[in-house]
Amino acid sequence: FGCSSFSCVTPEGTHLFGRNYDYLDTNGMVIYSNREGCYASIAVCDLQWARFAGVDPIAKPDSLLGRFVLRGAAPIMCVDGFNDQGLGISILSLDADGNRPDTGKTDTIIILAIRGILDKCANVDEAVAFLSSYDVHSMFDKENHLFITDKSGKSVIAECVNDELTIIS
């Protein structure tokens, strides 16, 4: 198990952002968001994380309950995406116990941070500033980090180490 994400700039100057999933079996939902006051984005909701696929789903995605819940929940349960400003983000798993930073900042979970970054950030520096204003928690037993890139080709990895946001360029 080891998902990957990358960015590169072609010789012609085009910035590319790529992502793969190394799950043996999963279902994803592609979400297009264009809400007022936010940047437009395309993102992926992992239906297994949302418990609409996998071993013990709470409902099938195409059932009445699934359609009702996912219509409201899927846009804020994204694990990867990019916005119309050229900012891309992906979540990656670490082989470490879930971190629970407590620095006195407002708490949020990582998927809500991803949605906030896609909605409000135009570049890597804005995304880092956004993350710096929260104590970002993993949702699971494992820790996560974020790969963030923008149309300039700048990329960073953001992760919480010993209750501090660490940025690796």
Side-chain angles (χ1 to χ4, degrees), residues 83-123:
N83 67 23
D84 63 356
Q85 302 299 297
L87 178 103
I89 187 166
S90 58
I91 190 172
L92 301 161
S93 184
L94 292 169
D95 190 19
D97 292 336
N99 198 348
R100 301 283 185 238
D102 186 14
T103 65
K105 298 175 189 170
T106 302
D107 291 321
T108 192
I109 56 175
I110 199 160
I111 59 170
L112 294 180
I114 290 169
R115 172 47 55 201
I117 288 168
L118 290 172
D119 286 350
K120 300 295 182 183
C121 300
N123 57 50

Side-chain angles (χ1 to χ4, degrees), residues 29-80:
M29 175 183 277
V30 177
I31 306 293
Y32 174 70
S33 178
N34 191 14
R35 297 178 298 131
E36 188 173 330
C38 297
Y39 296 127
S41 65
I42 296 174
V44 175
C45 172
D46 183 333
L47 295 177
Q48 196 162 307
W49 277 28
R51 298 220 25 238
F52 283 89
V55 178
D56 188 23
I58 57 176
K60 297 285 185 189
D62 58 352
S63 69
L64 181 61
L65 175 63
R67 289 192 310 261
F68 178 76
V69 172
L70 286 173
R71 183 174 175 93
I76 61 171
M77 298 183 74
C78 297
V79 294
D80 301 286

Side-chain angles (χ1 to χ4, degrees), residues 99-166:
N99 198 348
R100 301 283 185 238
D102 186 14
T103 65
K105 298 175 189 170
T106 302
D107 291 321
T108 192
I109 56 175
I110 199 160
I111 59 170
L112 294 180
I114 290 169
R115 172 47 55 201
I117 288 168
L118 290 172
D119 286 350
K120 300 295 182 183
C121 300
N123 57 50
V124 167
D125 293 333
E126 290 180 13
V128 170
F130 182 95
L131 287 172
S132 296
S133 65
Y134 293 95
D135 281 338
V136 180
H137 301 276
S138 174
M139 294 173 37
F140 306 103
D141 295 337
K142 296 291 183 188
E143 187 55 46
N144 302 110
H145 56 190
L146 297 171
F147 176 76
I148 309 167
T149 188
D150 65 33
K151 68 182 177 183
S152 74
K154 183 174 184 176
S155 299
V156 299
I157 294 177
E159 59 189 28
C160 187
V161 178
N162 298 324
D163 286 347
E164 289 188 36
L165 179 65
T166 301

